[in-house]
Amino acid sequence: MSLETEVLVIGAGAAGLMCAATAAARGRKVMVVDHAKQAGKKILISGGGRCNFTNLYVEPANYLCANPHFVKSALAQYTQWDFIDLVVRHNIAYHERDHGQLFCDDSAKEIVRMLLDECDKGQVQLRLRTDIESVSRLESGFAVATSIGRIQCQSLVVATGGLSMPKLGATPYGYKLAEQFGLKLKPTRAGLVPFTLQPQDKQHFEPLSGISLTANVAAQRGPAFTEQMLITHRGLSGPSVLQASNYREPGEGVSIDLLPAVDVGEALAQAREQNPKRQLSTWLSEHFPGRLAETLIAYHGWPNQPLGQLNKATLADIPEQLNRWQLKPGGDEGYRTAEVTLGGVDTDELSSKTMECKRVPGLYFVGEVMDVTGWLGGFNFQWAWASGYVAGQNA
Ligand SMILES: Cc1cc2nc3c(=O)[nH]c(=O)nc-3n(C[C@H](O)[C@H](O)[C@H](O)COP(=O)(O)OP(=O)(O)OC[C@H]3O[C@@H](n4cnc5c(N)ncnc54)[C@H](O)[C@@H]3O)c2cc1C
């Protein structure tokens, strides 16, 4: 079988569906192919099933990319307000959570339904369970050999996403295709991912799995994030850890302030003056869950004495360890649980206005497959919508 279309999109995820609907609204004949049996699988499980679909406060600074200016044009051409308008037009109820994060009131299914309805409006052909075998460049356009036959197209949009959650159908296909066309790639690694602990740390903290607290976590080369931190049976997770993970290079340590609202040196001095007979564990239990207080004492080897009897070294160490704990994680949980993939197609290869390859006219990359990664909080979907939209306006 030989099929023809004007725009062929590989990947029926967030960016691919947005791109397809946008191109079809311009009157382009569009086909979307995906090897999965369902469109938008990541959208469906995102945000705990409620999809954190954008953020009220989207800024270029919320993205990691070798070229920090690259995201500006697309984010300005299709803003969070444009996506919110679309959500409102489809009567999808939503609510705001901390830090401007917007979630569906009911279900992420509504976002997928909305994107598919927009595709239907433009008569986009959606071909699921379709494997890509090869792509070749023609004098004008591309020929794509697939499990449903050869598809010829004028514009080819690669929207195959990143490597996280292979169980949901993630593949490195987009990177391979980029390499086939001689495009540069930035090294990939897991992002928005929990840390594992080294064995000597894990033995202390694993029994506390389930405890969460507000902490300030910073990688060596990134901003500090004050949000919840969760102790898990493998290590540390929660928003503050996931955010910092985007900035942590393998092997590097992180700095953790376990009491970001308290100057521990001052608070300890005050407590010693007011009640020198109070045990260290009692004082720590005023700030932490009891079991965590006990673990901190054992982990740091502090003597559990009355505050008035603590020696100089311990008095100096307590604020250091609580406000500026230098932790070297064992590693991270990898793509199995990561929400995103850092790195990907080098944005130097692409036009920031259209997502078209500078060296291969007619070839576009959108969404997570490229070297653009957002913070936790709806920023990754906003990038998928924005990059998908600008490619859809031009493909
Ligand atoms: C558990 C989880 C929760 C998340 N929650 C949020 C959230 O709440 N808010 C947020 O902003 N971001 C969230 N993200 C990140 C967000 O899902 C992604 O950044 C976004 O989906 C990227 O869109 P994309 O279209 O580039 O890729 P995807 O949505 O991953 O789509 C890629 C598509 O390409 C298809 N594909 C891959 N390889 C091939 C191939 N070889 N042949 C054919 N088809 C192929 C896949 O089947 C898939 O349908 C979450 C991610 C995960 C894993």
Side-chain angles (χ1 to χ4, degrees), residues 3-10 28-31 135-144 150-157 362-363:
L3 301 160
E4 244 181 79
T5 187
E6 287 171 343
V7 180
L8 177 65
V9 180
I10 307 178
R28 298 283 275 167
K29 186 177 175 195
V30 183
M31 185 186 285
V135 172
S136 46
R137 204 171 165 188
L138 306 173
E139 214 162 274
S140 156
F142 302 86
V144 181
R150 181 180 187 270
I151 308 172
Q152 200 168 316
C153 60
Q154 293 165 7
S155 299
L156 180 64
V157 182
L363 180 65

Side-chain angles (χ1 to χ4, degrees), residues 9-18 33-55 63 101-103 127-133 158-165 168-174 192 335-341 366-370 372-385 387:
V9 180
I10 307 178
L17 292 176
M18 175 56 93
V33 290
D34 197 304
H35 65 162
K37 56 178 187 228
Q38 198 179 14
K41 273 190 176 178
K42 269 194 194 161
I43 303 174
L44 292 172
I45 58 146
S46 68
R50 292 229 159 84
C51 186
N52 177 195
F53 54 80
T54 193
N55 193 289
Y63 293 88
Q101 304 174 36
L102 300 188
F103 286 78
R127 302 294 185 105
L128 298 170
R129 300 175 199 260
T130 302
D131 294 320
I132 310 294
E133 286 153 10
V158 183
T160 46
L163 296 170
S164 53
M165 302 230 166
L168 292 177
T171 72
Y173 188 74
L192 297 179
Y335 292 118
R336 194 179 55 82
T337 56
E339 282 197 16
V340 288
T341 302
V366 295
E368 206 182 305
V369 69
M370 73 178 86
V372 173
T373 304
W375 288 10
L376 187 77
F379 300 100
N380 284 294
F381 278 136
Q382 187 57 37
W383 178 249
W385 316 137
S387 58

Side-chain angles (χ1 to χ4, degrees), residues 14 34 55 57 66 68 77 81 92 149 206 217 235 246 263 304 312 321 339 347 349 358 374:
D34 197 304
N55 193 289
Y57 310 112
Q77 289 185 64
W81 310 112
I92 299 174
E206 188 177 5
V217 185
N246 271 352
D263 181 325
N304 188 17
K312 243 180 155 181
Q321 300 298 351
E339 282 197 16
T347 56
E349 302 281 4
K358 293 174 187 164

Side-chain angles (χ1 to χ4, degrees), residues 48-202:
R50 292 229 159 84
C51 186
N52 177 195
F53 54 80
T54 193
N55 193 289
L56 291 179
Y57 310 112
V58 176
E59 296 286 343
N62 300 122
Y63 293 88
L64 292 90
C65 174
N67 172 4
H69 303 293
F70 181 82
V71 296
K72 289 180 181 170
S73 173
L75 292 177
Q77 289 185 64
Y78 191 86
T79 68
Q80 64 272 41
W81 310 112
D82 293 315
F83 195 77
I84 295 166
D85 273 354
L86 185 62
V87 165
V88 170
R89 271 190 272 129
H90 282 258
N91 293 316
I92 299 174
Y94 66 91
H95 61 276
E96 181 186 345
R97 295 193 195 162
D98 290 351
H99 310 290
Q101 304 174 36
L102 300 188
F103 286 78
C104 298
D105 282 357
D106 190 16
S107 164
K109 283 184 198 157
E110 293 174 295
I111 299 292
V112 176
R113 188 67 264 152
M114 175 187 83
L115 294 166
L116 291 175
D117 284 351
E118 290 291 317
C119 285
D120 281 350
K121 258 197 242 169
Q123 293 172 345
V124 171
Q125 289 188 59
L126 176 60
R127 302 294 185 105
L128 298 170
R129 300 175 199 260
T130 302
D131 294 320
I132 310 294
E133 286 153 10
S134 67
V135 172
S136 46
R137 204 171 165 188
L138 306 173
E139 214 162 274
S140 156
F142 302 86
V144 181
T146 76
S147 53
I148 56 165
R150 181 180 187 270
I151 308 172
Q152 200 168 316
C153 60
Q154 293 165 7
S155 299
L156 180 64
V157 182
V158 183
T160 46
L163 296 170
S164 53
M165 302 230 166
K167 268 192 191 159
L168 292 177
T171 72
Y173 188 74
Y175 310 129
K176 287 195 180 139
L177 203 54
E179 276 175 337
Q180 179 191 325
F181 284 101
L183 308 180
K184 286 180 288 171
L185 296 175
K186 291 285 179 196
T188 48
R189 65 184 166 85
L192 297 179
V193 65
F195 296 151
T196 55
L197 291 177
Q198 304 202 49
Q200 67 274 23
D201 298 331
K202 190 172 174 229

